[in-house]
Amino acid sequence: MALAHVRLALTALFLMAIGCFGTPAQAQRAVPALSARVIDQTGTLSAADRQALDTRLAAIEKSHGSQVVVLMVPTTAPEELAAFANRVGNAWKVGRKDVGDGVLVLVAKDDRKMRIEVAKALEGAIPDIAAARIIDGAIKPRFREGDYAGGLSAAVNQIGARIAGESLPLPSDTSERAARSAPGVDWTDLAIFLFFGVMVGGPVARGIFGNRLGGLLLGGGVGGLAFLFTTSVLLAGGAGLIALLYTWLFSGTGLSLGGRRGGGFGPAGGGGIGTSTGGFGGWSGGSGGGSSSDGGGFSSGGGGDFGGGGASGDW
């Protein structure tokens, strides 16, 4: 009988413990991958809507450096809206790394809730009361009419205006690199200049300094010239590597490889044009690769630093 009483007491204590501590917490909603400035997981916005918003957000980043992103999800459940927004902002690290000037506009469509999450560096430009006014004045009336694109566009315009009035470090973008580039430089002329320079200079450098040191010196010189005119480390490295390999492999005895193609120009008389043309083509390929890497996609600035600033609302 005493053993039965003990078992009953232990069972009661176990049930009390479950009641006090609750059941295990539900899993949090996964943070989506940051693949664009506008991410719509609800299928609400058209491609034209997303493009228009992206264009405006890109203009804000180009002019002022701050990153603003828009995320639409069906729901944030089981997580509360503000907690999810803060987690997404810090996971995506929106804003510049050394500034932390990011903004996340989050819409939970099925929950009929929205939030503007503001990183710490922009809490002066967009304080909580200002974020609430943007929600109440720009987003809510349009969302109630089903105009989601219009509400987001109006919000982005007001956020951009407030960022423009804030004293922030100027963005460092491609305009600085363009200013450093020599005006009126023709890419074809530059490539031809380097092509013949390597073809003529390779054997000379090899004859004076030897195969190894001559190749290193010529490669370094060509890479330096390429960087001076393009300010691209990728192109400079590619040009320097090609010059180095040409001097090591094709200068002198290597020029005879081109002679089999019928060329007759070159220091060794073996048709260096044929051989060097291949190198020139490879250099141009490097240029194309650099252009595509500079011009596509969107990525975080490495900022983050969201401390809970902003405001939430519904419609």
Side-chain angles (χ1 to χ4, degrees):
M1 181 66 70
L3 181 59
H5 288 166
V6 170
R7 288 176 177 174
L8 287 174
L10 290 175
T11 302
L13 289 173
F14 177 73
L15 293 176
M16 288 175 62
I18 292 178
C20 290
F21 295 104
T23 56
Q26 291 179 278
Q28 292 179 322
R29 182 181 182 86
V31 174
L34 179 60
S35 56
R37 294 181 177 88
V38 181
I39 298 177
D40 178 14
Q41 295 189 323
T42 66
T44 301
L45 303 174
S46 67
D49 293 335
R50 294 194 302 273
Q51 182 59 51
L53 284 170
D54 182 88
T55 299
R56 176 64 181 130
L57 297 174
I60 293 173
E61 182 175 353
K62 182 177 181 180
S63 300
H64 309 291
S66 303
Q67 288 187 323
V68 183
V69 295
V70 175
L71 171 63
M72 293 187 69
V73 296
T75 179
T76 64
E79 200 168 0
E80 195 270 335
L81 180 75
F84 180 71
N86 184 265
R87 188 160 61 87
V88 171
N90 282 308
W92 281 355
K93 297 187 181 301
V94 180
R96 287 174 289 180
K97 182 176 182 180
D98 297 328
V99 183
D101 51 346
V103 177
L104 169 66
V105 180
L106 172 65
V107 178
K109 186 179 179 183
D110 294 348
D111 300 336
R112 301 183 68 84
K113 293 180 179 179
M114 70 198 88
R115 180 168 179 83
I116 298 176
E117 187 77 7
V118 182
K120 293 179 180 178
L122 287 177
E123 289 180 356
I126 312 174
D128 296 356
I129 186 64
R133 287 174 179 169
I134 293 173
I135 289 174
D136 292 337
I139 303 179
K140 186 180 293 187
R142 292 172 174 83
F143 275 21
R144 285 178 174 173
E145 297 175 356
D147 185 10
Y148 293 96
L152 291 171
S153 178
V156 166
N157 286 338
Q158 293 193 24
I159 290 171
R162 287 190 163 272
I163 290 175
E166 185 73 357
S167 178
L168 294 168
L170 293 175
S172 55
D173 55 14
T174 55
S175 61
E176 181 181 350
R177 294 197 300 270
R180 291 173 52 194
S181 299
V185 173
D186 186 88
W187 285 85
T188 303
D189 291 344
L190 175 62
I192 293 175
F193 169 77
L194 291 178
F195 161 49
F196 282 104
V198 170
M199 190 177 65
V200 174
V204 175
R206 187 171 179 269
I208 296 175
F209 301 102
N211 189 33
R212 179 173 299 181
L213 181 57
L216 291 173
L217 291 175
L218 186 66
V222 169
L225 284 174
F227 182 81
L228 178 65
F229 283 101
T230 67
T231 69
S232 169
V233 176
L234 178 64
L235 293 180
L241 180 60
I242 289 172
L244 173 67
L245 293 177
Y246 176 85
T247 305
W248 281 357
L249 301 178
F250 298 117
S251 291
T253 57
L255 283 171
S256 61
L257 295 175
R260 287 197 290 267
R261 302 190 202 178
F265 179 81
I273 288 180
T275 302
S276 297
T277 302
F280 172 66
W283 189 88
S284 298
S287 173
S291 298
S292 63
S293 64
D294 290 342
F298 168 74
S299 61
S300 157
D305 200 20
F306 287 80
S312 301
D314 54 23
W315 72 93

